[in-house]
């Protein structure tokens, strides 16, 4: 069992978004495992970079879809993405400076943010996209 587990409760009903969310769950689990197994700086750094880069990809894809389908909450949703990405970048900068004591805080933040973001924002986006014919 992972640190954060995907379930159908997190499905927004748009396959490509759901698959990307599953990948985010996997990447958070990988980072959690690297931190909890006290793996070295290189492996933790690799997990952080992979997560950061995938978050950037996912947010860009999701935002492009929002624009394409006229999502009225696009600006608000994009700001949530930007604030999250900045926080991830801030954590990465701290790690690059040699700090490591915050890593348990980071994985908990990632888990909580993703779960809450899907439940509060992405589910609404999925409802909008399905109403516009963007689902299966």
């Amino acid at each position: 069992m992972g640190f954060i587990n995907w379930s159908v409760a997190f499905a927004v009903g748009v396959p490509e978004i759901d698959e990307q969310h599953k990948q985010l769950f996997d990447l958070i689990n990988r980072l959690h495992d690297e931190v909890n197994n006290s793996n070295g700086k290189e492996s933790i750094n690799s997990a952080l970079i992979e997560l950061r880069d995938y978050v950037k990809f996912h947010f860009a894809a999701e935002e492009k879809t929002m624009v394409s389908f006229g999502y009225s909450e696009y600006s608000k949703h994009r700001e949530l993405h930007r604030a999250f990405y900045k926080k991830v970048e801030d954590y990465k900068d701290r790690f690059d400076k040699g700090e490591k004591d915050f890593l348990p805080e980071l994985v908990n933040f990632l888990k909580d943010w993703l779960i809450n973001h899907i439940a509060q924002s992405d589910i609404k986006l999925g409802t909008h996209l399905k109403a516009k014919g963007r689902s299966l």
Side-chain angles (χ1 to χ4, degrees):
M1 193 126 188
F3 172 67
I4 179 173
N5 295 297
W6 171 262
S7 78
V8 295
F10 298 115
V12 300
V14 179
E16 68 193 45
I17 292 174
D18 288 337
E19 288 304 314
Q20 290 172 13
H21 286 165
K22 288 176 188 177
Q23 181 67 21
L24 288 170
F25 276 66
D26 290 345
L27 291 169
I28 292 170
N29 280 326
R30 176 178 171 223
L31 179 60
H32 176 264
D33 291 348
E34 297 292 347
V35 169
N36 280 347
N37 294 329
S38 299
N39 290 338
K41 184 176 180 176
E42 294 296 323
S43 61
I44 293 171
N45 189 53
S46 175
L48 273 169
I49 289 169
E50 187 176 3
L51 175 65
R52 181 198 62 199
D53 292 350
Y54 195 80
V55 162
K56 188 174 186 176
F57 160 78
H58 167 65
F59 287 172
E62 202 172 83
E63 290 168 14
K64 181 179 177 184
T65 301
M66 286 185 232
V67 170
S68 295
F69 286 84
Y71 188 52
S72 64
E73 294 189 35
Y74 166 73
S75 294
K76 179 181 172 184
H77 201 124
R78 184 183 70 197
E79 287 308 311
L80 294 172
H81 285 171
R82 288 186 179 182
F84 174 80
Y85 190 79
K86 181 177 180 341
K87 189 148 184 159
V88 170
E89 282 288 297
D90 291 345
Y91 278 120
K92 177 71 170 87
D93 289 345
R94 288 175 63 188
F95 184 77
D96 290 346
K97 291 176 183 169
E99 292 182 50
K100 289 177 26 174
D101 60 333
F102 69 88
L103 289 171
E105 171 190 324
L106 169 60
V107 293
N108 284 315
F109 163 74
L110 294 169
K111 175 183 179 180
D112 293 343
W113 190 91
L114 183 59
I115 288 170
N116 289 323
H117 183 72
I118 291 171
Q120 295 171 8
S121 299
D122 287 344
I123 294 291
K124 285 196 267 183
L125 171 60
T127 299
H128 172 81
L129 293 173
K130 288 183 284 187
K132 296 283 187 171
R134 180 75 168 90
S135 58
L136 303 172

